[in-house]
Amino acid sequence: MEAQEILANIAFTTSGALVDLVDKKVIVILRDGRKLIGILRSYDQFANLVLQEAIERIFVGNRYGDVPKGTFIVRGENVVLMGEIDLDKEDNVSPSVASSIPESALPQLLEAHAAENVTKSQSEQHKAAMLRSLRGFSGEGAEGDSY
């Protein structure tokens, strides 16, 4: 193989892999679980992203609502997953998978989402307490956690 052929077949494993996604609609999932959808306009060597016309998609059960965010800058270390959205398939989502709510119902969706997060947090705290008491796990920042 010639050097140019080898270079043409090497997959980018750095932020250079994002060059094909510029000016395309992408979904970005963040470490805190938020899901952002927008047009990728720019990025840097740390995978910091600039999303234009960004929305935050909030799911509760099989319903979702979109909260407009405008231009959004995402720090690269917070990105868990990013991918291009197929514009043809985006509008043809099956109602059995998920359905959009009207904009007027967004406050109720946000309240339900907040309540769901509280329930999840309480469940995680209970699970952590059980692991500490029954299985001998230590809490975060507990003894033996320092250098």
Side-chain angles (χ1 to χ4, degrees):
M1 277 190 167
E2 292 183 29
Q4 287 184 353
E5 188 177 341
I6 292 171
L7 287 175
N9 293 319
I10 293 176
F12 283 111
T13 58
T14 63
S15 63
L18 301 177
V19 73
D20 293 336
L21 294 176
V22 172
D23 295 332
K24 293 186 179 169
K25 195 168 193 179
V26 295
I27 183 167
V28 179
I29 300 178
L30 303 179
R31 282 195 313 180
D32 64 1
R34 289 186 290 170
K35 293 148 191 75
L36 300 173
I37 297 174
I39 301 166
L40 180 64
R41 290 297 181 200
S42 185
Y43 67 93
D44 65 8
Q45 71 270 24
F46 304 107
N48 296 319
L49 310 172
V50 177
L51 299 177
Q52 187 179 25
E53 299 175 18
I55 59 166
E56 181 180 355
R57 183 156 287 174
I58 298 174
F59 288 89
V60 176
N62 65 345
R63 306 290 304 241
Y64 68 89
D66 295 333
V67 179
K69 296 291 186 179
T71 301
F72 208 86
I73 298 174
V74 180
R75 188 174 168 107
E77 68 181 20
N78 292 319
V79 175
V80 173
L81 182 102
M82 182 171 122
E84 183 179 0
I85 292 180
D86 186 341
L87 298 176
D88 295 332
K89 292 182 180 177
E90 180 185 20
D91 295 332
N92 298 328
V93 176
S94 169
S96 63
V97 175
S99 59
S100 179
I101 62 160
E103 196 170 319
S104 60
L106 194 55
Q108 290 89 351
L109 182 78
L110 292 173
E111 286 177 25
H113 183 66
E116 187 178 79
N117 285 343
V118 167
T119 303
K120 282 182 185 177
S121 175
Q122 290 172 343
S123 174
E124 288 296 319
Q125 289 175 357
H126 178 69
K127 185 178 4 174
M130 295 302 286
L131 287 171
R132 282 193 299 274
S133 66
L134 298 176
R135 301 288 183 194
F137 281 61
S138 63
E140 202 170 314
E143 183 181 345
D145 206 19
S146 60
Y147 292 100

